[in-house]
Amino acid sequence: MPLDLLLVTHISRRHREQLTQAGFRVHRAEHDERRREVIAEHGDSIRAVLTIGTIGFTAEEMDELPRLGLICAQGVGFEGIDVAAARERGIAVTHGPGTNADTVADHTLGLMLACLRRIPQSDAAVRRGEWQNARRSHPDLHGRTLGLLGMGNIARAIAKRAHYGFDMPVVYHSRSPKTELPYHHEPEARRVAEQADVLVAALPGGPQTHHLVDEAMLTALGASGVLINIGRGSVVDTEALVAAIRERRIASAGLDVIDGEPEVPEDVLAEESIILTPHTAGLSPSALEATIALVIRNLQAFEAGEALVTPVP
């Protein structure tokens, strides 16, 4: 009998077909009303859930599914899943570390270049017929100091590109130093901001990182500094960021994620020095294929009673 899988996040039809071909019965429930309908009809048979970190899965939702044994977070993040509640109920939780690290790292370098070289602003000026006015000098990325908040798979991929591709010194903050890496570890996050020309937040969400990048951190980054956030929107205090941009306490910012997304505050939209992408840093054909392949491997291991491939630590 096929394993019944509750799908509470959007994936493409092709990836749904891959799940079906792998032997799973997929129940789409991307919206609250549809989820209630699916649970009412199939709740007693659903054994696994596929979600993402920002959607998560709560203890109350777990209690509606008496046979639930596995929750898969499609990407690396799992902050919205009540992991403690899952463990209390004997429900395993997996995630997808490393599946999109290269894609996110590429996007991050793109945001760095866009911010420093003001590429979107130059494009807009040319389209307005302002060719001569747009021909201005902008800072290089080459040789600048990269500060990283976090040193997981994504941050490592960013550091490698920056250090070996752009000759950027790298300083980072993480819970413990990574002695195998040729970069400088700082035990205090603010010390990273003080040394960085470009500060990249590559951190998961949750209470421990909430508004870690605050007014003090932005001030430490300095008037010529650039902030990039490709982790979780909650890591950056948006009001403090807008104020820092307006008061020229930092030069610019590139945000792939923002607190409260998909809603974006008008104050953010009004600042041309804040470059925005809609949480797409990790989206590429290769990354999505790797993510779904890992989900399938975890589901198959669960169904076979074998060790899960990437359990949440």
Side-chain angles (χ1 to χ4, degrees):
M1 177 178 288
L3 181 146
D4 285 77
L5 172 67
L6 179 66
L7 183 64
V8 300
T9 184
H10 175 75
I11 62 174
S12 70
R13 181 170 63 181
R14 180 168 180 272
H15 291 142
R16 293 196 303 271
E17 290 173 352
Q18 286 179 324
L19 288 166
T20 301
Q21 290 166 2
F24 308 115
R25 183 183 291 118
V26 177
H27 302 279
R28 295 179 64 186
E30 299 162 26
H31 307 290
D32 290 343
E33 183 177 350
R34 178 58 182 158
R35 192 179 309 182
R36 287 191 292 270
E37 293 173 357
V38 170
I39 289 175
E41 185 175 355
H42 302 285
D44 290 340
S45 61
I46 289 169
R47 296 180 56 212
V49 168
L50 177 57
T51 184
I52 58 174
T54 52
I55 293 175
F57 212 70
T58 67
E60 291 75 18
E61 290 171 318
M62 296 175 203
D63 288 338
E64 294 184 284
L65 304 173
R67 296 191 64 205
L68 182 63
L70 177 66
I71 300 171
C72 292
Q74 184 179 346
V76 63
F78 53 88
E79 71 277 9
I81 300 172
D82 192 333
V83 176
R87 287 178 176 152
E88 288 174 2
R89 291 158 175 76
I91 300 168
V93 182
T94 65
H95 66 144
T99 51
N100 64 2
D102 286 329
T103 298
V104 177
D106 289 352
H107 193 93
T108 303
L109 269 292
L111 285 174
M112 291 184 197
L113 288 164
C115 286
L116 280 164
R117 301 295 297 168
R118 294 182 66 82
I119 294 171
Q121 296 91 335
S122 296
D123 175 86
V126 171
R127 292 173 189 278
R128 291 193 302 266
E130 301 172 5
W131 181 281
Q132 291 300 329
N133 289 339
R135 296 191 73 247
R136 299 179 181 179
S137 173
H138 301 302
D140 294 327
L141 180 61
H142 178 90
R144 292 184 174 270
T145 298
L146 170 64
L148 279 164
L149 302 177
M151 192 46 85
N153 290 323
I154 290 171
R156 288 173 184 239
I158 295 167
K160 180 179 179 180
R161 285 158 172 75
H163 186 64
Y164 295 104
F166 287 84
D167 290 331
M168 298 176 73
V170 176
V171 57
Y172 70 98
H173 168 75
S174 62
R175 285 177 292 185
S176 59
K178 313 301 180 185
T179 55
E180 72 277 15
L181 298 177
Y183 315 127
H184 178 66
H185 176 262
E186 284 287 354
E188 294 184 18
R190 193 179 303 182
R191 283 286 298 140
V192 173
E194 290 171 353
Q195 298 171 64
D197 297 304
V198 180
L199 180 66
V200 176
L203 292 166
Q208 292 182 329
T209 62
H210 184 262
H211 287 187
L212 176 66
V213 180
D214 56 8
E215 181 181 2
M217 183 84 73
L218 293 165
T219 299
L221 180 56
S224 62
V226 174
L227 172 71
I228 307 292
N229 188 10
I230 46 79
R232 284 292 184 258
S234 59
V235 173
V236 175
D237 182 334
T238 306
E239 290 185 8
L241 173 61
V242 170
I245 291 284
R246 287 181 174 174
E247 296 164 13
R248 298 185 180 180
R249 285 184 284 113
I250 70 168
S252 59
L255 307 178
D256 184 57
V257 291
I258 191 165
D259 212 1
E261 61 183 63
E263 300 301 320
V264 181
E266 289 296 329
D267 287 349
V268 173
L269 296 174
E271 295 298 327
E272 72 160 14
S273 292
I274 300 178
I275 295 171
L276 301 164
T277 56
H279 205 150
T280 53
L283 300 184
S284 73
S286 61
L288 291 172
E289 287 297 322
T291 300
I292 292 299
L294 183 56
V295 167
I296 290 173
R297 289 170 61 201
N298 275 306
L299 287 167
Q300 289 172 334
F302 168 72
E303 191 174 28
E306 299 172 353
L308 298 171
V309 182
T310 52
V312 165

